[in-house]
Amino acid sequence: VRLRAEKDRSQIARDSKKDSKISFIDPTKAIATLAPVYDEICKRTPGMIRRSEVWWNQLLSNSTVDTHPPIQLVSVRQDKNSYCSGYAIYRTLLTWDGRPGEALLNIVEAIGLSPKDNEDLWRFFTNMDLVKEIRADYLPIDHPIFLQLHADLS
């Protein structure tokens, strides 16, 4: 399923009482951080395909080289001392055309171990400055975002 939402007309339906910690991931440590979360979701979700280290290296290879636009990596932790319970891989495509706030946020993958982790990732996306539109392709039909995001979807 494909999601397209104008950022300034999108918000997460339920605000959590406690915010998680969203932090950027060092690309050199990405596989060690992301793979355990993906593996756990893989165990819970029929039809998900396990990923090898070669696959992860291919996916993350353009975060360490000068590509345009590079991918960005963030993780979710419920507090500063806890394990990673979600992550996102995304790109910000600048389409300034002389006007600020026209960037496109293209979410490659956003996975959380719980509905709250998903909610926190998507709140991070909807709160980004200078973004006009949020896009996510290849979402599963039962992705929690469809229940959590209030938006004008197209």
Side-chain angles (χ1 to χ4, degrees):
V1 176
R2 178 179 288 174
L3 178 136
R4 302 282 186 267
E6 288 188 32
K7 191 204 79 141
D8 55 344
R9 299 194 322 176
S10 305
Q11 64 183 6
I12 296 300
R14 179 177 60 90
D15 284 332
S16 297
K17 298 200 184 316
K18 182 180 176 194
D19 288 334
S20 297
K21 180 170 177 39
I22 303 282
S23 55
F24 288 94
I25 300 170
D26 178 348
T28 63
K29 298 176 182 169
I31 294 174
T33 304
L34 307 184
V37 176
Y38 184 87
D39 290 344
E40 180 60 33
I41 292 293
C42 217
K43 290 177 196 173
R44 299 180 194 177
T45 310
M48 281 189 76
I49 299 169
R50 296 186 79 56
R51 295 177 175 170
S52 68
E53 187 171 345
V54 171
W55 193 98
W56 280 107
N57 285 328
Q58 179 63 32
L59 175 66
L60 301 173
S61 64
N62 72 357
S63 66
T64 57
V65 296
D66 188 25
T67 59
H68 182 76
I71 62 170
Q72 300 293 314
L73 308 161
V74 293
S75 69
V76 177
R77 297 175 193 277
Q78 293 309 316
D79 61 56
K80 65 181 176 182
N81 298 319
S82 66
Y83 64 94
C84 176
S85 58
Y87 69 86
I89 303 169
Y90 66 93
R91 286 184 170 89
T92 306
L93 307 164
L94 302 178
T95 58
W96 293 97
D97 296 332
R99 297 175 300 215
E102 296 292 317
L104 166 68
L105 179 62
N106 186 26
I107 300 163
V108 176
E109 189 167 88
I111 294 179
L113 294 178
S114 72
K116 179 172 181 344
D117 296 325
N118 278 307
E119 178 184 323
D120 291 336
L121 284 170
W122 286 85
R123 182 175 299 107
F124 171 76
F125 296 141
T126 59
N127 288 336
M128 278 188 172
D129 289 334
L130 304 176
V131 170
K132 181 178 182 179
E133 184 179 1
I134 299 170
R135 292 185 183 176
D137 294 330
Y138 311 112
L139 293 174
I141 193 103
D142 62 346
H143 196 288
I145 191 57
F146 296 114
L147 299 174
Q148 295 170 328
L149 184 67
H150 286 177
D152 293 333
L153 302 175
S154 59

